[in-house]
PDB file of all heavy atoms in Angstrom:
ATOM      1  N   ARG A 164      -3.583  -1.015  -6.065  1.00 92.00           N
ATOM      2  CA  ARG A 164      -4.963  -1.430  -6.322  1.00 92.00           C
ATOM      3  C   ARG A 164      -5.901  -1.026  -5.194  1.00 92.00           C
ATOM      4  O   ARG A 164      -7.110  -0.925  -5.387  1.00 92.00           O
ATOM      5  CB  ARG A 164      -5.021  -2.942  -6.545  1.00 92.00           C
ATOM      6  CG  ARG A 164      -4.749  -3.285  -7.996  1.00 92.00           C
ATOM      7  CD  ARG A 164      -4.709  -4.771  -8.211  1.00 92.00           C
ATOM      8  NE  ARG A 164      -3.633  -5.350  -7.423  1.00 92.00           N
ATOM      9  CZ  ARG A 164      -2.958  -6.437  -7.778  1.00 92.00           C
ATOM     10  NH1 ARG A 164      -3.240  -7.050  -8.889  1.00 92.00           N
ATOM     11  NH2 ARG A 164      -1.996  -6.910  -7.025  1.00 92.00           N
ATOM     12  N   LEU A 165      -5.327  -0.774  -3.982  1.00 95.00           N
ATOM     13  CA  LEU A 165      -6.194  -0.334  -2.884  1.00 95.00           C
ATOM     14  C   LEU A 165      -6.784   1.034  -3.203  1.00 95.00           C
ATOM     15  O   LEU A 165      -7.954   1.301  -2.929  1.00 95.00           O
ATOM     16  CB  LEU A 165      -5.401  -0.269  -1.579  1.00 95.00           C
ATOM     17  CG  LEU A 165      -4.991  -1.614  -1.002  1.00 95.00           C
ATOM     18  CD1 LEU A 165      -4.132  -1.423   0.232  1.00 95.00           C
ATOM     19  CD2 LEU A 165      -6.211  -2.448  -0.663  1.00 95.00           C
ATOM     20  N   GLN A 167      -7.177   2.225  -6.248  1.00 94.00           N
ATOM     21  CA  GLN A 167      -8.129   2.006  -7.344  1.00 94.00           C
ATOM     22  C   GLN A 167      -9.446   1.464  -6.789  1.00 94.00           C
ATOM     23  O   GLN A 167     -10.527   1.896  -7.208  1.00 94.00           O
ATOM     24  CB  GLN A 167      -7.566   1.015  -8.360  1.00 94.00           C
ATOM     25  CG  GLN A 167      -6.411   1.583  -9.166  1.00 94.00           C
ATOM     26  CD  GLN A 167      -5.988   0.664 -10.289  1.00 94.00           C
ATOM     27  OE1 GLN A 167      -6.263  -0.544 -10.265  1.00 94.00           O
ATOM     28  NE2 GLN A 167      -5.318   1.204 -11.283  1.00 94.00           N
ATOM     29  N   ALA A 168      -9.338   0.520  -5.852  1.00 96.00           N
ATOM     30  CA  ALA A 168     -10.552  -0.058  -5.268  1.00 96.00           C
ATOM     31  C   ALA A 168     -11.382   1.044  -4.623  1.00 96.00           C
ATOM     32  O   ALA A 168     -12.596   1.115  -4.817  1.00 96.00           O
ATOM     33  CB  ALA A 168     -10.186  -1.127  -4.248  1.00 96.00           C
ATOM     34  N   SER A 169     -10.718   1.913  -3.871  1.00 96.00           N
ATOM     35  CA  SER A 169     -11.427   3.001  -3.199  1.00 96.00           C
ATOM     36  C   SER A 169     -12.153   3.893  -4.209  1.00 96.00           C
ATOM     37  O   SER A 169     -13.318   4.242  -4.017  1.00 96.00           O
ATOM     38  CB  SER A 169     -10.425   3.812  -2.380  1.00 96.00           C
ATOM     39  OG  SER A 169     -10.992   5.009  -1.958  1.00 96.00           O
ATOM     40  N   LEU A 170     -11.457   4.231  -5.302  1.00 96.00           N
ATOM     41  CA  LEU A 170     -12.080   5.076  -6.329  1.00 96.00           C
ATOM     42  C   LEU A 170     -13.262   4.360  -6.969  1.00 96.00           C
ATOM     43  O   LEU A 170     -14.313   4.958  -7.210  1.00 96.00           O
ATOM     44  CB  LEU A 170     -11.060   5.442  -7.407  1.00 96.00           C
ATOM     45  CG  LEU A 170      -9.913   6.370  -6.982  1.00 96.00           C
ATOM     46  CD1 LEU A 170      -8.873   6.454  -8.075  1.00 96.00           C
ATOM     47  CD2 LEU A 170     -10.435   7.759  -6.654  1.00 96.00           C
ATOM     48  N   SER A 171     -13.100   3.056  -7.237  1.00 96.00           N
ATOM     49  CA  SER A 171     -14.174   2.314  -7.895  1.00 96.00           C
ATOM     50  C   SER A 171     -15.391   2.215  -6.979  1.00 96.00           C
ATOM     51  O   SER A 171     -16.513   2.048  -7.449  1.00 96.00           O
ATOM     52  CB  SER A 171     -13.703   0.917  -8.302  1.00 96.00           C
ATOM     53  OG  SER A 171     -13.784   0.021  -7.216  1.00 96.00           O
ATOM     54  N   LEU A 172     -15.161   2.311  -5.669  1.00 96.00           N
ATOM     55  CA  LEU A 172     -16.279   2.207  -4.730  1.00 96.00           C
ATOM     56  C   LEU A 172     -16.941   3.557  -4.474  1.00 96.00           C
ATOM     57  O   LEU A 172     -17.827   3.669  -3.641  1.00 96.00           O
ATOM     58  CB  LEU A 172     -15.791   1.596  -3.409  1.00 96.00           C
ATOM     59  CG  LEU A 172     -15.310   0.150  -3.542  1.00 96.00           C
ATOM     60  CD1 LEU A 172     -14.579  -0.292  -2.291  1.00 96.00           C
ATOM     61  CD2 LEU A 172     -16.478  -0.788  -3.826  1.00 96.00           C
ATOM     62  N   GLY A 173     -16.472   4.589  -5.183  1.00 95.00           N
ATOM     63  CA  GLY A 173     -17.160   5.869  -5.115  1.00 95.00           C
ATOM     64  C   GLY A 173     -16.479   6.916  -4.261  1.00 95.00           C
ATOM     65  O   GLY A 173     -17.030   7.994  -4.075  1.00 95.00           O
ATOM     66  N   ALA A 174     -15.285   6.625  -3.720  1.00 95.00           N
ATOM     67  CA  ALA A 174     -14.590   7.632  -2.926  1.00 95.00           C
ATOM     68  C   ALA A 174     -13.852   8.583  -3.866  1.00 95.00           C
ATOM     69  O   ALA A 174     -13.219   8.143  -4.823  1.00 95.00           O
ATOM     70  CB  ALA A 174     -13.607   6.973  -1.967  1.00 95.00           C
ATOM     71  N   THR A 175     -13.924   9.887  -3.586  1.00 95.00           N
ATOM     72  CA  THR A 175     -13.200  10.870  -4.398  1.00 95.00           C
ATOM     73  C   THR A 175     -11.711  10.728  -4.103  1.00 95.00           C
ATOM     74  O   THR A 175     -11.325  10.083  -3.132  1.00 95.00           O
ATOM     75  CB  THR A 175     -13.648  12.296  -4.025  1.00 95.00           C
ATOM     76  OG1 THR A 175     -13.367  12.478  -2.626  1.00 95.00           O
ATOM     77  CG2 THR A 175     -15.126  12.504  -4.271  1.00 95.00           C
ATOM     78  N   PRO A 176     -10.836  11.338  -4.933  1.00 94.00           N
ATOM     79  CA  PRO A 176      -9.402  11.264  -4.638  1.00 94.00           C
ATOM     80  C   PRO A 176      -9.064  11.776  -3.237  1.00 94.00           C
ATOM     81  O   PRO A 176      -8.226  11.185  -2.549  1.00 94.00           O
ATOM     82  CB  PRO A 176      -8.781  12.147  -5.723  1.00 94.00           C
ATOM     83  CG  PRO A 176      -9.733  12.051  -6.873  1.00 94.00           C
ATOM     84  CD  PRO A 176     -11.094  11.947  -6.259  1.00 94.00           C
ATOM     85  N   GLN A 182      -9.167   8.292   3.793  1.00 96.00           N
ATOM     86  CA  GLN A 182      -9.727   7.033   4.300  1.00 96.00           C
ATOM     87  C   GLN A 182      -8.852   5.821   4.025  1.00 96.00           C
ATOM     88  O   GLN A 182      -8.966   4.809   4.696  1.00 96.00           O
ATOM     89  CB  GLN A 182     -11.112   6.793   3.696  1.00 96.00           C
ATOM     90  CG  GLN A 182     -12.129   7.823   4.128  1.00 96.00           C
ATOM     91  CD  GLN A 182     -13.442   7.619   3.411  1.00 96.00           C
ATOM     92  OE1 GLN A 182     -14.270   6.845   3.822  1.00 96.00           O
ATOM     93  NE2 GLN A 182     -13.608   8.288   2.290  1.00 96.00           N
ATOM     94  N   VAL A 183      -7.999   5.902   3.004  1.00 95.00           N
ATOM     95  CA  VAL A 183      -7.205   4.723   2.648  1.00 95.00           C
ATOM     96  C   VAL A 183      -5.698   5.003   2.759  1.00 95.00           C
ATOM     97  O   VAL A 183      -4.998   4.368   3.535  1.00 95.00           O
ATOM     98  CB  VAL A 183      -7.550   4.226   1.221  1.00 95.00           C
ATOM     99  CG1 VAL A 183      -6.687   3.034   0.853  1.00 95.00           C
ATOM    100  CG2 VAL A 183      -9.025   3.866   1.143  1.00 95.00           C
ATOM    101  N   PRO A 186      -4.318   6.392   6.502  1.00 93.00           N
ATOM    102  CA  PRO A 186      -4.234   5.367   7.557  1.00 93.00           C
ATOM    103  C   PRO A 186      -3.137   4.336   7.275  1.00 93.00           C
ATOM    104  O   PRO A 186      -2.513   3.839   8.201  1.00 93.00           O
ATOM    105  CB  PRO A 186      -5.614   4.693   7.519  1.00 93.00           C
ATOM    106  CG  PRO A 186      -6.507   5.678   6.881  1.00 93.00           C
ATOM    107  CD  PRO A 186      -5.673   6.504   5.948  1.00 93.00           C
ATOM    108  N   LEU A 187      -2.897   4.045   5.997  1.00 93.00           N
ATOM    109  CA  LEU A 187      -1.908   3.013   5.678  1.00 93.00           C
ATOM    110  C   LEU A 187      -0.474   3.520   5.829  1.00 93.00           C
ATOM    111  O   LEU A 187       0.420   2.730   6.107  1.00 93.00           O
ATOM    112  CB  LEU A 187      -2.134   2.469   4.265  1.00 93.00           C
ATOM    113  CG  LEU A 187      -3.418   1.666   4.087  1.00 93.00           C
ATOM    114  CD1 LEU A 187      -3.616   1.275   2.635  1.00 93.00           C
ATOM    115  CD2 LEU A 187      -3.395   0.416   4.955  1.00 93.00           C
TER     116      LEU A 187
ATOM    117  N   PHE B  58      -9.810   3.613 -15.022  1.00 95.00           N
ATOM    118  CA  PHE B  58      -8.448   3.770 -14.526  1.00 95.00           C
ATOM    119  C   PHE B  58      -7.455   4.011 -15.659  1.00 95.00           C
ATOM    120  O   PHE B  58      -6.323   4.388 -15.434  1.00 95.00           O
ATOM    121  CB  PHE B  58      -8.016   2.557 -13.710  1.00 95.00           C
ATOM    122  CG  PHE B  58      -8.856   2.356 -12.487  1.00 95.00           C
ATOM    123  CD1 PHE B  58      -9.491   1.151 -12.256  1.00 95.00           C
ATOM    124  CD2 PHE B  58      -9.042   3.394 -11.586  1.00 95.00           C
ATOM    125  CE1 PHE B  58     -10.284   0.972 -11.145  1.00 95.00           C
ATOM    126  CE2 PHE B  58      -9.824   3.227 -10.473  1.00 95.00           C
ATOM    127  CZ  PHE B  58     -10.457   2.017 -10.245  1.00 95.00           C
ATOM    128  N   TYR B  79     -14.737   7.268  -9.821  1.00 95.00           N
ATOM    129  CA  TYR B  79     -15.629   7.327  -8.658  1.00 95.00           C
ATOM    130  C   TYR B  79     -17.015   7.838  -8.990  1.00 95.00           C
ATOM    131  O   TYR B  79     -17.894   7.875  -8.134  1.00 95.00           O
ATOM    132  CB  TYR B  79     -14.995   8.146  -7.523  1.00 95.00           C
ATOM    133  CG  TYR B  79     -14.522   9.524  -7.920  1.00 95.00           C
ATOM    134  CD1 TYR B  79     -15.346  10.636  -7.805  1.00 95.00           C
ATOM    135  CD2 TYR B  79     -13.228   9.706  -8.400  1.00 95.00           C
ATOM    136  CE1 TYR B  79     -14.898  11.894  -8.159  1.00 95.00           C
ATOM    137  CE2 TYR B  79     -12.772  10.958  -8.765  1.00 95.00           C
ATOM    138  CZ  TYR B  79     -13.614  12.051  -8.646  1.00 95.00           C
ATOM    139  OH  TYR B  79     -13.163  13.284  -9.003  1.00 95.00           O
ATOM    140  N   ILE B  83     -19.619   1.660 -10.848  1.00 95.00           N
ATOM    141  CA  ILE B  83     -19.366   0.313 -11.343  1.00 95.00           C
ATOM    142  C   ILE B  83     -18.706  -0.480 -10.215  1.00 95.00           C
ATOM    143  O   ILE B  83     -17.783   0.014  -9.573  1.00 95.00           O
ATOM    144  CB  ILE B  83     -18.401   0.356 -12.554  1.00 95.00           C
ATOM    145  CG1 ILE B  83     -19.040   1.104 -13.710  1.00 95.00           C
ATOM    146  CG2 ILE B  83     -17.988  -1.051 -12.963  1.00 95.00           C
ATOM    147  CD1 ILE B  83     -18.094   1.331 -14.875  1.00 95.00           C
ATOM    148  N   PHE B  87     -10.965  -7.029  -7.697  1.00 93.00           N
ATOM    149  CA  PHE B  87      -9.596  -7.001  -8.189  1.00 93.00           C
ATOM    150  C   PHE B  87      -8.897  -8.340  -7.981  1.00 93.00           C
ATOM    151  O   PHE B  87      -9.290  -9.146  -7.150  1.00 93.00           O
ATOM    152  CB  PHE B  87      -8.795  -5.927  -7.442  1.00 93.00           C
ATOM    153  CG  PHE B  87      -9.236  -4.536  -7.769  1.00 93.00           C
ATOM    154  CD1 PHE B  87     -10.354  -3.986  -7.175  1.00 93.00           C
ATOM    155  CD2 PHE B  87      -8.524  -3.774  -8.667  1.00 93.00           C
ATOM    156  CE1 PHE B  87     -10.761  -2.701  -7.466  1.00 93.00           C
ATOM    157  CE2 PHE B  87      -8.921  -2.487  -8.970  1.00 93.00           C
ATOM    158  CZ  PHE B  87     -10.037  -1.952  -8.374  1.00 93.00           C
ATOM    159  N   GLN B  88      -7.842  -8.499  -8.773  1.00 88.00           N
ATOM    160  CA  GLN B  88      -6.920  -9.607  -8.548  1.00 88.00           C
ATOM    161  C   GLN B  88      -6.366  -9.418  -7.135  1.00 88.00           C
ATOM    162  O   GLN B  88      -6.092  -8.297  -6.742  1.00 88.00           O
ATOM    163  CB  GLN B  88      -5.774  -9.457  -9.542  1.00 88.00           C
ATOM    164  CG  GLN B  88      -5.392 -10.711 -10.230  1.00 88.00           C
ATOM    165  CD  GLN B  88      -4.429 -10.423 -11.379  1.00 88.00           C
ATOM    166  OE1 GLN B  88      -4.062  -9.294 -11.631  1.00 88.00           O
ATOM    167  NE2 GLN B  88      -4.037 -11.448 -12.058  1.00 88.00           N
ATOM    168  N   ASN B  89      -6.191 -10.472  -6.372  1.00 87.00           N
ATOM    169  CA  ASN B  89      -5.705 -10.362  -4.988  1.00 87.00           C
ATOM    170  C   ASN B  89      -6.598  -9.472  -4.117  1.00 87.00           C
ATOM    171  O   ASN B  89      -6.132  -8.884  -3.152  1.00 87.00           O
ATOM    172  CB  ASN B  89      -4.264  -9.854  -4.938  1.00 87.00           C
ATOM    173  CG  ASN B  89      -3.330 -10.769  -5.685  1.00 87.00           C
ATOM    174  OD1 ASN B  89      -3.569 -11.966  -5.772  1.00 87.00           O
ATOM    175  ND2 ASN B  89      -2.296 -10.207  -6.261  1.00 87.00           N
ATOM    176  N   ALA B  91      -7.701  -6.735  -3.022  1.00 94.00           N
ATOM    177  CA  ALA B  91      -7.614  -5.304  -2.703  1.00 94.00           C
ATOM    178  C   ALA B  91      -8.572  -4.890  -1.585  1.00 94.00           C
ATOM    179  O   ALA B  91      -9.216  -3.857  -1.662  1.00 94.00           O
ATOM    180  CB  ALA B  91      -7.848  -4.444  -3.959  1.00 94.00           C
ATOM    181  N   LEU B  92      -8.642  -5.703  -0.530  1.00 96.00           N
ATOM    182  CA  LEU B  92      -9.419  -5.294   0.649  1.00 96.00           C
ATOM    183  C   LEU B  92      -8.571  -4.318   1.456  1.00 96.00           C
ATOM    184  O   LEU B  92      -7.349  -4.434   1.480  1.00 96.00           O
ATOM    185  CB  LEU B  92      -9.753  -6.515   1.509  1.00 96.00           C
ATOM    186  CG  LEU B  92     -10.670  -7.547   0.860  1.00 96.00           C
ATOM    187  CD1 LEU B  92     -10.850  -8.743   1.789  1.00 96.00           C
ATOM    188  CD2 LEU B  92     -12.017  -6.939   0.538  1.00 96.00           C
ATOM    189  N   PHE B  93      -9.246  -3.351   2.128  1.00 96.00           N
ATOM    190  CA  PHE B  93      -8.504  -2.384   2.926  1.00 96.00           C
ATOM    191  C   PHE B  93      -8.032  -3.067   4.208  1.00 96.00           C
ATOM    192  O   PHE B  93      -8.853  -3.462   5.029  1.00 96.00           O
ATOM    193  CB  PHE B  93      -9.385  -1.175   3.243  1.00 96.00           C
ATOM    194  CG  PHE B  93      -9.946  -0.522   2.011  1.00 96.00           C
ATOM    195  CD1 PHE B  93     -11.308  -0.307   1.871  1.00 96.00           C
ATOM    196  CD2 PHE B  93      -9.110  -0.142   0.965  1.00 96.00           C
ATOM    197  CE1 PHE B  93     -11.825   0.287   0.724  1.00 96.00           C
ATOM    198  CE2 PHE B  93      -9.616   0.445  -0.185  1.00 96.00           C
ATOM    199  CZ  PHE B  93     -10.976   0.661  -0.302  1.00 96.00           C
ATOM    200  N   PRO B  94      -6.707  -3.186   4.397  1.00 94.00           N
ATOM    201  CA  PRO B  94      -6.213  -3.973   5.531  1.00 94.00           C
ATOM    202  C   PRO B  94      -6.486  -3.329   6.889  1.00 94.00           C
ATOM    203  O   PRO B  94      -6.524  -4.013   7.899  1.00 94.00           O
ATOM    204  CB  PRO B  94      -4.702  -4.064   5.277  1.00 94.00           C
ATOM    205  CG  PRO B  94      -4.385  -2.943   4.351  1.00 94.00           C
ATOM    206  CD  PRO B  94      -5.629  -2.683   3.550  1.00 94.00           C
ATOM    207  N   HIS B  95      -6.722  -1.992   6.910  1.00 93.00           N
ATOM    208  CA  HIS B  95      -6.912  -1.309   8.187  1.00 93.00           C
ATOM    209  C   HIS B  95      -8.383  -1.243   8.588  1.00 93.00           C
ATOM    210  O   HIS B  95      -8.716  -0.691   9.616  1.00 93.00           O
ATOM    211  CB  HIS B  95      -6.331   0.102   8.128  1.00 93.00           C
ATOM    212  CG  HIS B  95      -6.953   0.953   7.051  1.00 93.00           C
ATOM    213  ND1 HIS B  95      -6.826   0.668   5.713  1.00 93.00           N
ATOM    214  CD2 HIS B  95      -7.714   2.069   7.126  1.00 93.00           C
ATOM    215  CE1 HIS B  95      -7.473   1.576   5.011  1.00 93.00           C
ATOM    216  NE2 HIS B  95      -8.022   2.437   5.837  1.00 93.00           N
ATOM    217  N   PHE B 104     -17.891   0.533   3.068  1.00 97.00           N
ATOM    218  CA  PHE B 104     -17.141   1.653   2.479  1.00 97.00           C
ATOM    219  C   PHE B 104     -17.879   2.352   1.334  1.00 97.00           C
ATOM    220  O   PHE B 104     -18.047   3.572   1.369  1.00 97.00           O
ATOM    221  CB  PHE B 104     -15.762   1.145   2.038  1.00 97.00           C
ATOM    222  CG  PHE B 104     -14.802   2.210   1.602  1.00 97.00           C
ATOM    223  CD1 PHE B 104     -13.946   2.811   2.505  1.00 97.00           C
ATOM    224  CD2 PHE B 104     -14.749   2.623   0.276  1.00 97.00           C
ATOM    225  CE1 PHE B 104     -13.047   3.795   2.115  1.00 97.00           C
ATOM    226  CE2 PHE B 104     -13.864   3.611  -0.131  1.00 97.00           C
ATOM    227  CZ  PHE B 104     -13.014   4.202   0.791  1.00 97.00           C
ATOM    228  N   PRO B 105     -18.346   1.616   0.313  1.00 97.00           N
ATOM    229  CA  PRO B 105     -19.030   2.313  -0.787  1.00 97.00           C
ATOM    230  C   PRO B 105     -20.325   2.995  -0.330  1.00 97.00           C
ATOM    231  O   PRO B 105     -20.700   4.026  -0.888  1.00 97.00           O
ATOM    232  CB  PRO B 105     -19.316   1.201  -1.796  1.00 97.00           C
ATOM    233  CG  PRO B 105     -19.198  -0.065  -1.050  1.00 97.00           C
ATOM    234  CD  PRO B 105     -18.204   0.180   0.044  1.00 97.00           C
ATOM    235  N   GLN B 108     -19.444   6.309   1.291  1.00 96.00           N
ATOM    236  CA  GLN B 108     -19.108   7.334   0.292  1.00 96.00           C
ATOM    237  C   GLN B 108     -20.380   7.958  -0.272  1.00 96.00           C
ATOM    238  O   GLN B 108     -20.370   9.087  -0.725  1.00 96.00           O
ATOM    239  CB  GLN B 108     -18.293   6.754  -0.866  1.00 96.00           C
ATOM    240  CG  GLN B 108     -17.086   5.942  -0.454  1.00 96.00           C
ATOM    241  CD  GLN B 108     -16.233   6.639   0.574  1.00 96.00           C
ATOM    242  OE1 GLN B 108     -15.923   7.823   0.450  1.00 96.00           O
ATOM    243  NE2 GLN B 108     -15.862   5.921   1.627  1.00 96.00           N
ATOM    244  N   ARG B 109     -21.464   7.185  -0.274  1.00 95.00           N
ATOM    245  CA  ARG B 109     -22.719   7.683  -0.828  1.00 95.00           C
ATOM    246  C   ARG B 109     -23.580   8.354   0.225  1.00 95.00           C
ATOM    247  O   ARG B 109     -24.758   8.636  -0.014  1.00 95.00           O
ATOM    248  CB  ARG B 109     -23.461   6.521  -1.495  1.00 95.00           C
ATOM    249  CG  ARG B 109     -22.813   6.121  -2.817  1.00 95.00           C
ATOM    250  CD  ARG B 109     -23.210   4.731  -3.280  1.00 95.00           C
ATOM    251  NE  ARG B 109     -22.625   4.431  -4.581  1.00 95.00           N
ATOM    252  CZ  ARG B 109     -21.362   4.086  -4.782  1.00 95.00           C
ATOM    253  NH1 ARG B 109     -20.526   4.001  -3.758  1.00 95.00           N
ATOM    254  NH2 ARG B 109     -20.910   3.826  -5.994  1.00 95.00           N
ATOM    255  N   ARG B 152     -18.409  -6.397  -1.219  1.00 96.00           N
ATOM    256  CA  ARG B 152     -18.129  -4.957  -1.241  1.00 96.00           C
ATOM    257  C   ARG B 152     -18.443  -4.354  -2.611  1.00 96.00           C
ATOM    258  O   ARG B 152     -18.875  -3.206  -2.714  1.00 96.00           O
ATOM    259  CB  ARG B 152     -16.650  -4.738  -0.890  1.00 96.00           C
ATOM    260  CG  ARG B 152     -16.254  -3.287  -0.750  1.00 96.00           C
ATOM    261  CD  ARG B 152     -14.792  -3.133  -0.408  1.00 96.00           C
ATOM    262  NE  ARG B 152     -13.929  -3.554  -1.501  1.00 96.00           N
ATOM    263  CZ  ARG B 152     -12.601  -3.437  -1.503  1.00 96.00           C
ATOM    264  NH1 ARG B 152     -11.985  -2.949  -0.448  1.00 96.00           N
ATOM    265  NH2 ARG B 152     -11.889  -3.825  -2.529  1.00 96.00           N
TER     266      ARG B 152
END
Side-chain angles (χ1 to χ4, degrees):
Chain A
R164 274 176 299 210
L165 290 176
Q167 290 188 339
S169 167
L170 292 171
S171 83
L172 295 168
T175 59
Q182 295 175 85
V183 178
L187 292 175
Chain B
F58 298 125
Y79 53 92
I83 296 173
F87 292 80
Q88 225 170 0
N89 301 331
L92 295 177
F93 304 126
H95 59 295
F104 189 90
Q108 309 312 314
R109 286 161 177 77
R152 185 180 67 175

